[in-house]
Amino acid sequence: MHVNSIIDFHFNHFCMNKKITIFAILTLSVLLICGSVKAGINQDIAREISQNREINVLNLALLLSKEVRPDIQSDKYRVEIKTMIESLKYEIRKKDDPYHKIGLINEYLYKTKSFKYDLKDPGAKSTKNQFITGYLDAKKGSCITMPLLYYLIGRELNLPVRWVRAPDHFFCRYQVAEKKYINIETTCGGKVAPDSSYIQDFKITGDELNKKVYMQSLGDRECAADLLCITGLYFARKRKYDAALEYLKASATLDSANPATYWFLSLIYKNMGQPKKSAENLKRAKELGFQEAAR
């Protein structure tokens, strides 16, 4: 029995005051097979996200990349990122002002290394724009991979760089103090952007802000949860729905406060003919502040 469903994802990308709205259509076509074998998460990934250990986001990002590209040599990319960090370390230490530190990283990534936003794939539909190794290979990235590399470098340099969610978008933040920070829009060369730009361009509602769905300063656990969620959606597009569910459930375990994960779980369960589980996850998503109409 085939059940077909088309899900519209609204990918928004902006560069300062300019907004580009992308409608990327992902088709989830589910073939229900009695007695199908349940897919599990790779043991190395399961170990990395274990509740009993601190998550290494770089390790996880490389492991997830290898899940979709088994032929890659993870050590090559690890060395490449570590080399970037070493190249920045000395100069970063000499600067006290956060804006100067941000400027150094921007200069290095977007001028010296020539990393750019992939204008041909603003919806990040291509696999290379969903995983860190694709960004390192192509030197072009998305609002997934570009903030991820920035975040990894910032954390390894012991800078107070945070991971931030907006609707269908991620960016970085330099946390100067508890209520003082600098937003870094990596898809625009690391330019500084005020909260108001994100709130306006992504139509973030007051209720979503009050429930802290978006615009929060997040860390390794939440970043890792988002990477797992993205991997789950990758498998969903490949019609590997058991694997998709496992990654999405792992994401929810790491970060039980992210409504988007439950929304995606709801969609997949619905298309798999499991209305009860779909309804349960949709209810949870709405309790956490997900607003279907707003998106």
Side-chain angles (χ1 to χ4, degrees):
M1 175 182 178
H2 291 275
V3 182
N4 297 306
S5 174
I6 296 178
I7 303 171
D8 291 335
F9 289 95
H10 304 283
F11 289 93
N12 300 290
H13 169 69
F14 75 93
C15 192
M16 299 308 287
N17 294 324
K18 296 182 180 179
K19 178 183 176 186
I20 303 172
T21 302
I22 306 300
F23 298 93
I25 299 178
L26 305 178
T27 304
L28 298 180
S29 302
V30 182
L31 176 60
L32 300 177
I33 305 176
C34 294
S36 61
V37 178
K38 184 177 180 180
I41 288 181
N42 176 297
Q43 288 186 356
D44 291 332
I45 294 172
R47 191 178 304 111
E48 191 62 53
I49 61 175
S50 168
Q51 297 282 352
N52 299 322
R53 62 182 293 171
E54 185 175 330
I55 295 173
N56 185 311
V57 179
L58 173 56
N59 286 348
L60 179 62
L62 293 175
L63 286 169
L64 292 173
S65 293
K66 198 167 182 65
E67 276 293 276
V68 302
R69 292 177 56 197
D71 59 315
I72 68 167
Q73 300 297 318
S74 298
D75 286 345
K76 165 193 167 185
Y77 298 100
R78 191 186 311 278
V79 169
E80 184 175 353
I81 293 173
K82 294 292 185 181
T83 300
M84 292 182 199
I85 293 163
E86 288 299 319
S87 298
L88 284 162
K89 187 179 293 184
Y90 178 71
E91 291 299 323
I92 286 288
R93 285 174 178 170
K94 294 194 299 184
K95 302 293 183 182
D96 292 324
D97 186 273
Y99 287 97
H100 290 164
K101 293 178 186 288
I102 292 169
L104 279 173
I105 298 175
N106 291 348
E107 177 80 18
Y108 180 77
L109 287 178
Y110 308 121
K111 292 186 178 179
T112 302
K113 302 298 289 184
S114 299
F115 284 106
K116 295 179 176 63
Y117 179 67
D118 190 351
L119 293 171
K120 293 183 178 180
D121 184 27
K125 291 183 286 185
S126 171
T127 301
K128 68 181 177 63
N129 282 327
Q130 297 165 16
F131 296 90
I132 190 71
T133 52
Y135 181 35
L136 294 172
D137 284 339
K139 294 293 188 291
K140 290 183 179 180
S142 67
C143 69
I144 299 169
T145 57
M146 297 186 80
L148 177 56
L149 180 61
Y150 206 104
Y151 178 80
L152 291 172
I153 289 173
R155 299 293 274 180
E156 288 292 326
L157 289 170
N158 293 316
L159 299 177
V161 175
R162 303 291 183 259
W163 181 257
V164 189
R165 295 169 181 149
D168 303 312
H169 188 79
F170 303 104
F171 62 96
C172 288
R173 174 176 287 167
Y174 194 106
Q175 196 78 34
V176 181
E178 183 179 356
K179 295 184 179 181
K180 183 180 179 182
Y181 50 78
I182 304 164
N183 294 328
I184 305 165
E185 185 46 55
T186 58
T187 61
C188 294
K191 290 183 179 179
V192 172
D195 282 2
S196 58
S197 294
Y198 291 96
I199 292 168
Q200 179 180 347
D201 288 355
F202 292 102
K203 296 181 172 59
I204 300 173
T205 67
D207 188 52
E208 288 172 325
L209 290 173
N210 290 335
K211 290 187 175 180
K212 300 182 179 181
V213 177
Y214 301 117
M215 303 301 292
Q216 299 300 301
S217 297
L218 307 173
D220 292 347
R221 197 169 191 82
E222 293 86 359
C223 179
D226 286 333
L227 299 185
L228 290 166
C229 183
I230 290 162
T231 305
L233 296 179
Y234 165 84
F235 282 115
R237 289 193 293 273
K238 296 294 182 181
R239 302 184 182 185
K240 297 181 179 180
Y241 302 104
D242 286 335
L245 285 176
E246 290 301 305
Y247 279 98
L248 287 169
K249 287 190 286 187
S251 176
T253 299
L254 274 188
D255 181 13
S256 60
N258 184 10
T261 306
Y262 296 100
W263 165 243
F264 292 131
L265 281 167
S266 172
L267 293 175
I268 292 177
Y269 277 125
K270 180 178 180 180
N271 283 279
M272 292 180 73
Q274 299 186 46
K276 184 177 179 180
K277 288 186 177 180
S278 175
E280 289 172 353
N281 281 279
L282 179 58
K283 179 182 178 182
R284 180 60 177 154
K286 290 182 176 180
E287 287 173 349
L288 290 170
F290 181 82
Q291 297 186 15
E292 186 175 354
R295 301 280 78 85

